[in-house]
Amino acid sequence: MTPQPDEIEGPRSCGPYELAGVLDLANLVLRTLNTPEGRPARWPSIGFDYPHVFHPGNLENIRVFVRRGRVVCSVGICPGIVRTPRGDLSVGGICALATHPEYRGRGLGTRIMEDAHRKMRADGHHIGLLSTLIQDFYRKLGWESGGRQRVFMFDRGNIGLLPEPEGLEVTEDWRPRIEELNRLRLREPVTSIRDSDRFRLLMERRTNRVFVGAREGSVVAYAGISGATVQEYAGAREEVACLLRAVFDRLDDPRVSTSQRPPGQRATIEMRILAPELGEGLPGLLMEMGVPHSLGYLGMIRILDPERLFRALQIREIQIVPSDGRWRLSYRGAACTLDERELVKMVFGPERLTRFAADLLPMLFYQWASDRV
Ligand SMILES: CC(C)(COP(=O)(O)OP(=O)(O)OC[C@H]1O[C@@H](n2cnc3c(N)ncnc32)[C@H](O)[C@@H]1OP(=O)(O)O)[C@@H](O)C(=O)NCCC(=O)NCCS
């Protein structure tokens, strides 16, 4: 029998005895049922992957619809601060939106996202950020693809361009040095604020190896790797480059035989480096070397309060006022009117919709892969 809408409670925050049900639902929908055809079922790993979202101290940020004690739709919000050269942005990461298959298509997903927007706004977040394959579902809710991420590629043919790690002591014994690594990270031009516990948790759960480079006992660079992908790094650009060359050597297996390669896969490794779009630091160095790279979206972004966002970024030169459900911007005698999704591209790029305020926008914004949910 189809349940009556009034039997479903929510959207509201998750109760202490509902957290396990949220994980059951998220694992069912995003792992078990989200297995590509013909492959073994994906393991239920939402709890392991996102312990910083789905924990008893974050129940207010876990939004649910519940029917007779059973969680039928849920989403997690992961609060975080991104430090940019223009100011700190408070970011709500949207994690594991899921509706039970028997409850889909009746507006629960839409309503829980609207509730998440309200909650993020109430908590002072400037923007929401998420990764998804269902962009058009989120577009209806005011989200748009935006922000920039560079992905650099190395294999055996170009890794030799990076400087020899001569004199660099490389170790994977990173745990005793968390504070030093975290301090190094804070010197990057765009970074997130993490305490030592958060740093350890993210490195353990979002990466599978962490390499540290030291000279005369002092840490000069580190890199967090997942598979053959560098999820994050920190340090002076030459030191990070040396370390990544050493990392490549450790990831590369010299015994691999090219004639016994598994079908559809490369025979030997390709190391990907995920990085902010910067003319300085490691990305600047790799661009100068002509290392192949692509530019992609950071994710989907929703600006929760454009006026507050502009104040946080100290973009006082641009006036922004609401105008008939859109936003009117003026700057040095020029003006333009944009809807909320166009505003995402204007502020975060990569596409340039107009030449308006091209000297100020898009701004530098990046959330490192380990911080993303
Ligand atoms: C994405 C997901 C959460 C949507 O949940 P939902 O509760 O079905 O969401 P809604 O009912 O609000 O919207 C779903 C569709 O039904 C339509 N719809 C909404 N209310 C409706 C109603 N009362 N009657 C009929 N259709 C309706 C929506 O317009 C939407 O259409 P679309 O598929 O063309 O975008 C759900 O499909 C799901 O769990 N998918 C798998 C996991 C996933 O992809 N999660 C997102 C990870 S980023």
Side-chain angles (χ1 to χ4, degrees):
M1 201 176 78
T2 311
Q4 297 303 304
D6 60 355
E7 292 180 51
I8 298 177
E9 306 160 37
R12 59 165 169 76
S13 54
C14 176
Y17 299 115
E18 290 161 347
L19 181 54
V22 168
L23 288 170
D24 286 349
L25 175 68
N27 277 316
L28 172 71
V29 171
L30 295 158
R31 294 291 182 267
T32 313
L33 300 177
N34 195 24
T35 299
E37 246 179 58
R39 303 286 293 274
R42 291 180 69 186
W43 286 47
S45 63
I46 297 286
F48 181 87
D49 295 342
Y50 304 108
H52 51 312
V53 183
F54 298 107
H55 69 91
N58 199 39
L59 293 177
E60 282 284 320
N61 276 320
I62 302 170
R63 313 303 298 175
V64 292
F65 275 108
V66 177
R67 179 170 183 257
R68 297 184 189 159
R70 186 173 292 272
V71 177
V72 295
C73 175
S74 63
V75 68
I77 302 167
C78 179
I81 301 287
V82 171
R83 177 150 291 173
T84 83
R86 283 201 154 263
D88 288 358
L89 288 193
S90 177
V91 179
I94 289 290
C95 184
L97 169 66
T99 301
H100 191 284
E102 288 165 16
Y103 292 82
R104 290 193 187 155
R106 54 177 91 170
L108 297 183
T110 301
R111 286 172 58 203
I112 212 162
M113 282 304 299
E114 286 164 352
D115 176 64
H117 298 163
R118 183 201 56 72
K119 171 72 176 142
M120 290 193 286
R121 227 177 263 124
D123 288 353
H125 296 313
H126 299 104
I127 61 168
L129 182 68
L130 59 82
S131 308
T132 189
L133 296 175
I134 52 167
Q135 288 83 354
D136 294 312
F137 173 79
Y138 290 105
R139 282 197 177 104
K140 286 188 265 183
L141 292 161
W143 294 74
E144 190 47 89
S145 299
R148 287 107 64 206
Q149 171 169 265
R150 287 238 180 251
V151 182
F152 294 92
M153 293 293 191
F154 280 100
D155 68 8
R156 288 181 185 173
N158 66 352
I159 192 69
L161 287 174
L162 297 184
E164 291 257 16
E166 234 170 279
L168 189 73
E169 305 139 34
V170 179
T171 170
E172 291 189 58
D173 190 18
W174 58 275
R175 285 179 181 78
R177 320 199 79 160
I178 287 178
E179 289 186 7
E180 268 177 284
L181 303 184
N182 214 4
R183 271 200 299 278
L184 202 60
R185 216 175 51 77
L186 283 173
R187 286 196 223 134
E188 291 298 313
V190 55
T191 193
S192 60
I193 310 296
R194 295 179 196 156
D195 62 17
S196 298
D197 288 343
R198 174 62 64 98
F199 183 91
R200 172 195 289 265
L201 189 67
L202 293 183
M203 289 304 95
E204 282 175 347
R205 305 295 178 92
R206 312 295 301 147
T207 71
N208 51 17
R209 294 173 82 173
V210 178
F211 293 87
V212 178
R215 289 194 195 273
E216 287 156 18
S218 296
V219 173
V220 292
Y222 84 89
I225 319 286
S226 171
T229 300
V230 179
Q231 304 258 98
E232 66 175 57
Y233 60 79
R237 63 187 211 164
E238 287 75 15
E239 299 290 18
V240 182
C242 285
L243 178 67
L244 293 180
R245 180 158 168 178
V247 167
F248 185 95
D249 282 348
R250 283 163 175 76
L251 298 179
D252 191 13
D253 180 354
R255 295 162 309 174
V256 168
S257 146
T258 51
S259 52
Q260 285 166 14
R261 137 190 107 87
Q265 286 181 34
R266 280 180 64 104
T268 55
I269 70 157
E270 186 170 51
M271 184 169 84
R272 299 184 332 137
I273 301 170
L274 311 185
E277 197 208 15
L278 274 174
E280 54 182 294
L282 185 75
L285 180 69
L286 302 184
M287 305 274 273
E288 283 163 30
M289 290 174 166
V291 175
H293 55 84
S294 57
L295 177 68
Y297 296 123
L298 182 61
M300 289 195 91
I301 296 175
R302 192 180 197 286
I303 299 178
L304 296 161
D305 182 339
E307 291 161 295
R308 275 195 62 237
L309 174 70
F310 275 57
R311 277 201 299 279
L313 296 175
Q314 302 177 28
I315 311 182
R316 293 193 193 87
E317 306 91 323
I318 302 178
Q319 271 88 52
I320 177 163
V321 288
S323 160
D324 270 346
R326 300 203 292 164
W327 295 92
R328 185 170 167 78
L329 285 75
S330 36
Y331 173 62
R332 292 194 178 155
C336 67
T337 304
L338 302 172
D339 65 29
E340 56 187 351
R341 294 199 287 118
E342 291 166 336
L343 198 56
V344 168
K345 300 229 188 248
M346 172 73 92
V347 176
F348 298 102
E351 294 96 339
R352 310 272 166 106
L353 303 184
T354 72
R355 295 299 303 154
F356 178 83
D359 54 332
L360 291 177
L361 300 173
M363 61 163 296
L364 174 61
F365 174 74
Y366 186 67
Q367 193 177 47
W368 294 83
S370 328
D371 289 301
R372 273 178 253 154
V373 288

